[in-house]
Amino acid sequence: MEYADIAIAVLGVLGLASIWDLLSGRRGYGGAVLVAGVGAACGAFLVIRVFGISTLGDWLWVAWAMVASAFTLLAYTLFRSKR
């Protein structure tokens, strides 16, 4: 159970990408996973390295990663080019 938080974060990213793909009505699950994964990585980096609030041993970084992932999916939806 040492890496349970990482597994939960990966499953959360996949879940958020699935929900976004279903709600957006587009067939871009790969793009959604990429955007959500990059957002989660940035959120984890911010909380661990920049702000110093959490460590990888805590569960707080998982919540920050999910919030950042949702934020990047929202930003991607709002600012993507529509050809």
Side-chain angles (χ1 to χ4, degrees):
M1 298 309 285
E2 186 176 340
Y3 299 108
D5 51 350
I6 296 173
I8 296 294
V10 169
L11 291 175
V13 165
L14 294 175
L16 283 173
S18 298
I19 291 169
W20 177 84
D21 188 41
L22 289 173
L23 291 178
S24 68
R26 305 203 186 282
R27 296 189 178 255
Y29 183 68
V33 169
L34 179 65
V35 170
V38 169
C42 291
F45 179 79
L46 279 175
V47 75
I48 293 171
R49 298 295 293 176
V50 176
F51 299 138
I53 298 172
S54 178
T55 64
L56 275 177
D58 300 334
W59 283 86
L60 183 62
W61 72 269
V62 177
W64 275 71
M66 294 302 102
V67 169
S69 178
F71 181 74
T72 54
L73 284 170
L74 178 67
Y76 176 68
T77 302
L78 292 175
F79 299 117
R80 72 173 182 255
S81 64
K82 297 178 182 175
R83 296 182 200 191

